[in-house]
Amino acid sequence: MHTPYDVKAPYNVDKVIPFIPEGDFYFTKGVEAFQKRKFDIAVKWLKKAIESSPDEALFQCQLSIIYTEVGAYHAANQVLTDVLTTHGNDYIDCYYLIANNYAHLGLMNDAMKNAQKYLDIAPDGDFTSEAEELLNFLDLDEEDEDWADDLEDELLIFQETAFYHLEREEWDEAIPLLHEMMALFPDHLPAKHEYSYALFFSGDEDEAIRLEQQWLDKDPQSLFCHTNLALFYYHRQEKERFTDHVEAVANVYPIHDQQKLRVAVTLARTENYQAALQRFKGLSKYHLKGHASFFKWYSIAAFQTGNPSKALALWEEGCKQHPFLSKYEGPWIHN
């Protein structure tokens, strides 16, 4: 008598062909997630689609649109620029999309150049009316505003590009940019401190500390110096030294939002969670939503001070605004 386990399969298992989703499948899933405003999931699917079909420019363009939607304008423009580099004027819509992103970043000269280039190449294109409207808006705005000159625009581009790589801990990309920035704009102090920060976390710890100590000797009240040295000595577990700098940071109450954020993040990263939490509560999320560090370290500070629900809500919001945050394990892990 045969049992069910004696029944033979009607096919040869060795000849079964596994179902491997192609780029179109991933793309469709990405668009569905995007329509549901699940941006972090959409980015993951679109990246899979691009990995599966790297020559399909449509997938890359859709990824750029998601980045634009979450306010990652520089990331969007990087993707679009790659498409133009690879496919040339076969994807002229990229010029309008780039112009739109530059307008959001406040880089009006670059926005105008790309919008005009789109109209020159495609006077009857799909985005002709939008490009004309953007140019009219920029022209009208120019009558009331004294736009920064080309040098200031260049500084802003450097700042945005460096910020993009620093947020993602892409030190090899950030360091040469910051080095060039220091040469072109020697009076721009943040570039120097961001350079030493990138140096330290890329492995050149001694040089980073030497630079910051040198600058601190010239300006003992420098918030940049104290926040960087607090982090550097904390990571080197030199408790006495990092405590001195943390105390200096804790006694500073800046006016500007980005400096306030720098203090809050430094306190959180050196495990002064309660003090950090109080600083984060005083920050404007509206003005700082473009900073992934706001969501990441506010979330960690909330979790470490006994508020896991708030921590999770902040983390989820941060991942929607900045999909790359999802590479971290969450606020319950001290990253």
Side-chain angles (χ1 to χ4, degrees):
M1 180 178 180
H2 293 286
T3 69
Y5 297 102
D6 296 320
V7 177
K8 293 184 179 179
Y11 50 78
N12 186 337
V13 175
D14 293 335
K15 293 183 179 180
V16 174
I17 301 174
F19 170 65
I20 302 175
E22 299 294 336
D24 288 342
F25 171 79
Y26 296 133
F27 175 74
T28 301
K29 298 292 288 184
V31 171
E32 288 174 356
F34 173 68
Q35 291 170 341
K36 295 175 182 177
R37 303 190 68 79
K38 296 180 178 179
F39 299 126
D40 52 338
I41 297 173
V43 166
K44 289 180 181 178
W45 283 118
L46 262 297
K47 285 184 175 179
K48 280 182 173 288
I50 292 167
E51 186 179 329
S52 177
S53 304
D55 296 327
E56 181 50 77
L58 175 63
F59 298 169
Q60 296 174 64
C61 290
Q62 182 62 46
L63 177 62
S64 81
I65 289 169
I66 297 170
Y67 281 145
T68 296
E69 186 70 20
V70 300
Y73 303 116
H74 182 75
N77 275 359
Q78 279 202 320
V79 173
L80 294 166
T81 300
D82 289 344
V83 171
L84 287 172
T85 300
T86 304
H87 299 278
N89 288 346
D90 290 341
Y91 287 85
I92 53 174
D93 290 351
C94 291
Y95 289 114
Y96 167 72
L97 297 174
I98 288 172
N100 183 56
N101 289 325
Y102 274 136
H104 281 290
L105 287 168
L107 301 172
M108 303 310 175
N109 288 342
D110 292 290
M112 293 178 73
K113 288 175 187 175
N114 281 277
Q116 189 60 58
K117 188 164 188 175
Y118 173 79
L119 290 173
D120 290 343
I121 299 173
D124 299 313
D126 291 338
F127 290 102
T128 296
S129 60
E130 289 87 347
E132 289 174 344
E133 185 178 342
L134 179 59
L135 279 176
N136 289 335
F137 168 75
L138 295 173
D139 286 337
L140 286 171
D141 238 22
E142 272 197 320
E143 295 176 6
D144 302 320
E145 298 287 343
D146 182 18
W147 294 117
D149 59 21
D150 289 342
L151 192 61
E152 289 172 329
D153 271 358
E154 187 178 4
L155 173 58
L156 194 52
I157 292 171
F158 268 107
Q159 284 178 307
E160 287 293 334
T161 308
F163 174 73
Y164 174 87
H165 292 304
L166 288 168
E167 285 266 283
R168 288 157 179 76
E169 300 181 358
E170 296 170 351
W171 314 124
D172 290 343
E173 289 80 6
I175 288 172
L177 270 173
L178 291 165
H179 192 270
E180 187 175 357
M181 236 175 125
M182 291 163 61
L184 292 172
F185 309 98
D187 296 327
H188 186 67
L189 293 178
K192 296 179 180 179
H193 298 286
E194 287 165 350
Y195 175 71
S196 69
Y197 176 88
L199 274 185
F200 184 90
F201 288 103
S202 68
D204 199 350
E205 297 183 3
D206 291 339
E207 176 63 9
I209 289 175
R210 186 192 71 78
L211 288 172
E212 286 295 348
Q213 194 60 58
Q214 171 186 299
W215 297 327
L216 184 65
D217 291 341
K218 294 180 180 178
D219 182 8
Q221 304 304 317
S222 170
L223 178 63
F224 277 112
C225 288
H226 285 299
T227 52
N228 272 357
L229 287 170
L231 290 176
F232 296 170
Y233 287 126
Y234 169 80
H235 279 275
R236 285 167 68 121
Q237 298 183 338
E238 297 184 32
K239 187 173 181 179
E240 185 175 338
R241 287 183 171 181
F242 93 71
T243 299
D244 289 342
H245 293 291
V246 168
E247 288 177 354
V249 171
N251 288 323
V252 175
Y253 291 84
I255 297 174
H256 300 295
D257 282 338
Q258 292 196 9
Q259 291 180 332
K260 290 179 180 178
L261 177 62
R262 177 176 286 274
V263 170
V265 168
T266 301
L267 292 171
R269 292 183 66 174
T270 54
E271 299 186 65
N272 291 278
Y273 298 118
Q274 192 62 53
L277 188 67
Q278 295 308 310
R279 298 301 186 104
F280 277 117
K281 286 180 178 179
L283 293 174
S284 166
K285 183 169 68 175
Y286 176 79
H287 290 118
L288 295 169
K289 63 183 179 182
H291 293 254
S293 57
F294 170 81
F295 294 99
K296 177 180 177 180
W297 290 102
Y298 192 178
S299 175
I300 289 172
F303 183 84
Q304 294 291 340
T305 52
N307 197 339
S309 59
K310 183 175 181 64
L312 185 58
L314 282 164
W315 187 263
E316 289 178 345
E317 185 177 0
C319 288
K320 286 180 181 178
Q321 294 280 350
H322 306 280
F324 76 88
L325 277 180
S326 59
K327 73 178 181 180
Y328 300 103
E329 294 185 56
W332 41 90
I333 301 296
H334 189 299
N335 293 292

